[in-house]
């Protein structure tokens, strides 16, 4: 049963979050090299443009299967596309272990009718997406209607079936640290396999402080339930240096158990280029 009272007991000290972020110490040397390879393995290589074509998606899938020149052992974690591009991505990834992820539930704003959002999830799963990135209706969080948010995300969870569901919190549109933590916990209670910072289309996307708030919500959820929920920062992460900061924060807050594509993803369209360039120079 959903414990609404427990959600209202959640409170976050923003100043302490900022102090913790300031203490981040990214890996250097060979450890940084290993972390950058991990970043590639944890990447949801993404194209979400209005001018996407099947040819663009096929090229993206080819890169997902061989993201690092000269290394046939490494792939990205997934390819993330709009619903219309799911069949093309699925065909292009056939024979590989790289899954197709589809953004859904009225992405990026979450304001279409609930029945439409649920139908969109069903359609993407039927088309072959095995991961679904849903977006919450931010108004539920902004008005503190946590029951409505829980009910909606639960309906999305049911529509996903066996597909993994990533719940996009859109942290840049929420007003404070406590709201981010409460929204994260509601989505986990409703069955999210991952919680994700952003659509990549907000004015403010993934930030380290918001990510830390979400990681601590994940840690508390694990302590309470024994369930490990994954974490995905997305939007604005375009450099190897920033990826190393995120991985250092993840290692500090959630530990080595989360340092795997099963529990951590980068939502990225530009990050791969910078990481490949960095690794080529090492």
């Amino acid at each position: 049963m959903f414990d609404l009272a427990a959600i209202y007991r959640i409170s976050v000290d923003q100043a302490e979050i900022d102090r913790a972020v300031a203490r981040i110490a990214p890996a250097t040397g060979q450890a940084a090299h290993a972390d950058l390879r991990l970043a590639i393995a944890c990447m949801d290589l993404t194209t979400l443009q209005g001018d996407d074509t099947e040819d663009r998606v096929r090229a993206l899938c080819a890169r997902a299967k061989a993201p690092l020149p000269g290394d046939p052992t490494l792939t990205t974690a997934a390819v993330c596309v709009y619903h219309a591009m799911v069949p093309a991505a699925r065909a292009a990834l056939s024979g590989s272990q790289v899954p197709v992820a589809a953004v859904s539930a009225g992405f990026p704003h979450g304001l279409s009718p609930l029945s439409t959002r649920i139908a969109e999830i069903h359609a993407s799963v039927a088309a072959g997406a095995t991961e679904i990135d849903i977006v919450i209706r931010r108004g539920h969080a902004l008005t503190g209607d946590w029951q409505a948010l829980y009910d909606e995300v639960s309906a999305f969870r049911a529509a996903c079936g066996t597909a993994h569901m990533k719940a996009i919190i859109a942290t840049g549109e929420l007003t404070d640290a406590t709201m981010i933590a409460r929204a994260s916990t509601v989505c986990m209670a409703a069955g999210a396999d991952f919680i994700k910072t952003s659509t990549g289309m907000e004015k403010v996307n993934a930030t380290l402080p918001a990510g830390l708030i979400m990681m601590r919500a994940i840690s508390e959820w694990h302590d309470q339930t024994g369930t490990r929920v994954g974490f995905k920062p997305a939007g604005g992460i375009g450099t190897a240096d920033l990826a190393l900061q995120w991985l250092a924060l993840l290692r500090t807050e959630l530990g080595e158990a989360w340092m795997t594509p099963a529990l951590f993803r980068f939502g990225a369209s530009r990050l791969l280029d910078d990481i490949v360039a960095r690794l080529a120079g090492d």
Side-chain angles (χ1 to χ4, degrees), residues 116-249:
T116 301
R117 286 178 278 156
I118 291 172
E120 185 180 11
I121 294 169
H122 282 299
S124 289
V125 171
T130 57
E131 300 184 2
I132 301 293
D133 289 31
I134 64 97
V135 60
I136 70 166
R137 184 169 179 173
R138 273 76 100 190
H140 293 325
L142 290 167
T143 60
D145 195 344
W146 302 115
Q147 185 67 54
L149 179 60
Y150 173 82
D151 291 343
E152 277 201 0
V153 177
S154 295
F156 299 154
R157 170 71 270 169
C160 285
T162 59
H164 277 220
M165 185 179 79
K166 307 186 197 94
I168 306 171
I169 307 300
T171 55
E173 295 185 346
L174 305 188
T175 58
D176 61 36
T178 294
M179 187 180 293
I180 292 169
R182 289 177 178 178
S184 298
T185 303
V186 171
C187 288
M188 290 187 287
D193 298 295
F194 269 71
I195 52 174
K196 176 178 170 181
T197 59
S198 322
T199 67
M201 299 182 184
E202 291 90 56
K203 292 179 180 178
V204 177
N205 290 293
T207 68
L208 291 162
L212 176 53
I213 294 163
M214 295 173 72
M215 288 181 197
R216 290 190 174 176
I218 288 170
S219 179
E220 290 173 9
W221 186 254
H222 178 249
D223 289 344
Q224 293 166 11
T225 68
T227 300
R228 287 185 174 134
V229 173
F231 174 65
K232 179 178 174 179
I237 305 170
T239 68
D241 285 340
L242 190 50
L244 289 172
Q245 290 183 60
W246 278 103
L247 289 169
L249 185 64

Side-chain angles (χ1 to χ4, degrees), residues 99-111:
V100 178
V103 294
S104 198
F107 182 94
H109 303 301
L111 292 174

Side-chain angles (χ1 to χ4, degrees), residues 43-67:
M43 196 175 296
D44 284 359
L45 203 56
T46 301
T47 184
L48 298 170
Q49 303 301 319
D51 60 353
D52 280 343
T53 64
E54 291 187 359
D55 283 346
R56 176 183 288 173
V57 168
R58 282 190 284 266
L60 192 74
C61 291
R63 196 166 192 209
K65 292 188 288 185

